[in-house]
Amino acid sequence: MVVSVESLPNSNPNLYNSTSMTSSLDDQTIIRLAEEKIRVKTIALGLRVTEFFHDFDRLRSGYVTASQFKRCLDTNLRLQLSPAEEELLFLKYDLKHDGTICYREFCDVINRKYPETTITPYPENFTNAAPPYLNSWRSTRHIGTQDESERLQNVLQRIAIYCKQRGIDVLTTMEQYDKHKMGEITDSQFYRAFAGPQLTEAEMTLLRDKYSDPGKPGLINYLNFVQDLNKFSRTNESTLPTTDSTNIEQTPIVGVEEKAEQRSIQEISDKIRIATFKYGIRISDFFKDYDKLRSGIITEGQFESALSLSVQKQACLNMNDIKKLTEYYRRPDGRIYYKEFIDRMENAFNIPELEKKPLTQVYRPGQGLLSRPLNTNLTPDEEDRVSQILSTIIEKVHKRRLVLFPFFKPYDRSKAFTRACTKHQFGRVLRTLDLIPSPYDFNILCKKFEDRETGDINYALFCQMTEQDFVAIKVESEQEFQFERARIDEEQKREKLKIKIDTSNVNMNDLMGRIRHHVLTNRIRVKEFFEDFDPLRLGTISQARFIRVLASLGLTGLDGIPLTEAQMYALCDYYRHPDQHDLIIWKQFEQDVESVFTLSDLEKAPNVQVSPQPIYEMPTTGTPNWSNIDPFNKEELHQAMEIWKIKCEQRRIDIVQPFKQFDRHNRGHVTRLQFRQCLAIAGLSYTQKELEAVEAAFIDDNGFHYRRFVEWIQPRRIEPLRYNILQQELKNLNKQRIPPEIKSLTSIQDVLQKIKGQVYRRRIRLNEWLKDHDKLNCGRMSFDTFRRAINPCQLELTESELSLLED
């Protein structure tokens, strides 16, 4: 039912604004009306009158002056009280008769919910509450013409009947958008919260203009709307028993078809699935607005409102269809379990969590299967007549060489190219082309191509059946789109494109050693790269993803290991799953590679010795083995290196700088030509044989390794650790013998006399030195702290004298 907002009997604003009536009333009535006016204003504005008087009553005595009392009412409430009303209020609340006003008594009367003297079995009729519409009786616009007023009353009556029959709570629905309880919502919120019958755009505009607030553009006072619905609802209840049955049948109820087609739940669900799939509607968003806690359960009215807003227009649903769905998903407590409904509708032609079911076959409709079909409800005689009409039109089109589609298309621009037009537009085009049949034949032709839901004519199919070369919709059979057939074709294509790669020449030990070296030097966590492609943590991924992860690890980049295609496929074959041959066990690969850092499950085997990490370091590929160098070349190499080393030491040549100028990325390698240019820059002479011997010793697959060359020419000096040197110096210093004491004092009195003499002669304040080490001023400190505090004073005390003083 519609929740009502009851009004007061004396809520007419003209009663408070008229000054002529106060002269004919007694003093008590004038005071009561003035208090009622103030009470209505405070409740409507949500004010606490006591807070305003506290600003003038710092001592909280409960009294203010008459001018302060008037100032509070004029400034905060903006009320225009007559002089008689002000004088009577002052006399009533001047309890001390000294000119001060007792505002506490005044606030108690204003904030009182029920009248003090009225005792009745129905106190709700005498409640001191705000008038309807939150005191905004001027917020509704006046509908000028009589025709518009009658249309508005008709619309409100239809909405009231609709909400009454279905038990829709309009006020609760709209209050969900009014977070601050202002009584007003925006236009878009009003359209969205509207749960009444399906109205036209003109009728919705009429409602918006009636209940919009002229002082606040873009806001609609929904309390006015609810109040008017309550009036019509009470009027319908009082007049319904005396209404003639013929008049009831003539009352239109929008949203309920007169001869609604009885569909099954499966047919209704299929229509909603097709609509959500074709138009990409996310109906879950409409239902979640009513389910703040995401419990999956909403009320019946909320379910009908969300379903109407989401797919009623696209799926062409009537109220009977919505009622059937409501009854089907109703729970024993009367609420609707919409979560099950959403899961069935949004997973049309799809399977949820498909990533967990890689072998599941998914059915997708073929091309044209979801398009508008032709009307098949014609009788055999009508079908024969349609065939004759189409034959006549086809003959004329072929003879005159007409192209029909461009003539229909301009009428479809306002509907986003739906390939449909109205019956009047369809006849207009046929009349323009002189193809119009008789009225009876035209009705049968329209009946064949009309949409049973909207009544529009599918002119695209008409053009396809009348023109020879025009194809509007190509409907393919389902047998051509079977998933199994597509999968078999895809596998055959892969077999044809598959290239056999020879992996017999790949040395797996050397390959894994170089991968471990790359991971160790760059500190790469292999596990993190693979987990991005294995969300279920199964430990296996496809071959394509395995190769992608190897590339992301840097094994195909410039600074990494440039793996060949044969090496890639060799790794895939080595770690392939024994049962599922299209999957790779990346977990085993990760354990083999990350063993360079540590071994797993060491807590179970505490006696296992972990190999040091330097044993996994490998030289660059192509590095020559010096033990296999020809003895003649080895002699030339040593001779050239000794000569260059002596020249660099004598001339103080920094051989590293020319190489760094060519190695911008600090890779440690330069080309053969750049190496020769560096020798020329440094001024190092050489013969051709010496140059060839040096290049053969230091060139690998990445180029000339100049860092090894520089270490040979200018070896770095390894300086010892300074910390070890300091430790040794301290040990040596502690080993020195302490010199014997000469003429040390043995009496405590003599020691104290010696200290007194030093203090007197050098004017030392021992208290200042000792106080810095006694933060709590307790007068006590440890032996070490005492010596640390006495030493800066330089009292010339020996070790035995200090010990005697401490004891």
Side-chain angles (χ1 to χ4, degrees), residues 356-370:
K356 300 180 182 179
K357 310 167 187 176
L359 301 180
T360 304
Q361 298 184 6
V362 181
Y363 168 75
R364 287 298 177 92
Q367 181 180 359
L369 292 179
L370 301 181

Side-chain angles (χ1 to χ4, degrees), residues 164-231:
K164 181 66 176 178
Q165 291 177 348
R166 290 158 181 81
I168 299 175
D169 191 349
V170 181
L171 181 61
T172 305
T173 304
M174 293 192 176
E175 279 183 344
Q176 295 177 358
Y177 297 93
D178 188 13
K179 301 297 183 182
H180 302 285
K181 304 303 179 185
M182 299 171 56
E184 294 176 330
I185 57 178
T186 61
D187 295 345
S188 60
Q189 292 174 345
F190 180 78
Y191 278 101
R192 191 171 185 180
F194 181 74
Q198 187 175 0
L199 302 179
T200 61
E201 187 66 26
E203 292 172 342
M204 292 299 296
T205 305
L206 186 63
L207 287 176
R208 184 194 62 188
D209 295 340
K210 171 63 178 175
Y211 298 105
S212 59
D213 193 342
K216 299 177 182 179
L219 296 180
I220 293 179
N221 194 320
Y222 66 88
L223 292 182
N224 293 2
F225 175 67
V226 172
Q227 179 70 14
D228 292 343
L229 288 183
N230 291 328
K231 291 180 181 178

Side-chain angles (χ1 to χ4, degrees), residues 2 153-165 228-244 247-248 251-253:
V2 182
Q153 293 180 2
N154 186 20
V155 171
L156 291 175
Q157 184 177 5
R158 287 158 53 192
I159 297 173
I161 295 173
Y162 182 91
C163 297
K164 181 66 176 178
Q165 291 177 348
D228 292 343
L229 288 183
N230 291 328
K231 291 180 181 178
F232 280 101
S233 179
R234 290 192 295 268
T235 303
N236 293 334
E237 290 179 357
S238 60
T239 59
L240 187 59
T242 61
T243 305
D244 190 12
N247 296 332
I248 296 177
T251 303
I253 299 178

Side-chain angles (χ1 to χ4, degrees), residues 297 326-337:
I297 302 173
T326 305
E327 294 293 335
Y328 185 77
Y329 292 100
R330 189 191 304 275
R331 288 166 53 93
D333 57 356
R335 295 182 296 175
I336 309 300
Y337 185 61

Side-chain angles (χ1 to χ4, degrees), residues 778-804:
C778 60
R780 295 186 300 272
M781 63 180 63
S782 62
F783 292 162
D784 296 337
T785 307
F786 178 74
R787 292 196 177 195
R788 193 182 304 114
I790 288 295
N791 286 335
C793 298
Q794 298 180 1
L795 298 178
E796 300 178 359
L797 299 177
T798 62
E799 185 68 24
S800 61
E801 292 173 350
L802 284 175
S803 301
L804 186 62

Side-chain angles (χ1 to χ4, degrees), residues 590-637:
E590 178 254 334
Q591 293 177 359
D592 295 344
V593 172
E594 290 196 349
S595 60
V596 298
F597 299 110
T598 184
L599 299 178
S600 59
D601 300 332
L602 282 178
E603 65 278 2
K604 300 179 182 179
N607 296 327
V608 175
Q609 294 292 332
V610 180
S611 302
Q613 292 183 355
I615 68 172
Y616 294 102
E617 296 180 359
M618 299 183 64
T620 310
T621 57
T623 302
N625 189 0
W626 284 28
S627 61
N628 299 330
I629 299 178
D630 187 22
F632 179 75
N633 292 337
K634 186 180 294 186
E635 183 180 354
E636 295 286 344
L637 173 64

Side-chain angles (χ1 to χ4, degrees), residues 38-52 72-79 107 110-111 130 135:
I38 296 173
R39 182 183 299 111
V40 168
K41 192 69 174 179
T42 55
I43 297 177
L45 298 178
L47 302 178
R48 296 181 179 178
V49 189
T50 311
E51 302 295 334
F52 302 125
C72 286
L73 297 181
D74 295 342
T75 305
N76 301 300
L77 300 181
R78 297 182 179 88
L79 283 175
C107 292
I110 295 301
N111 296 332
N135 199 25

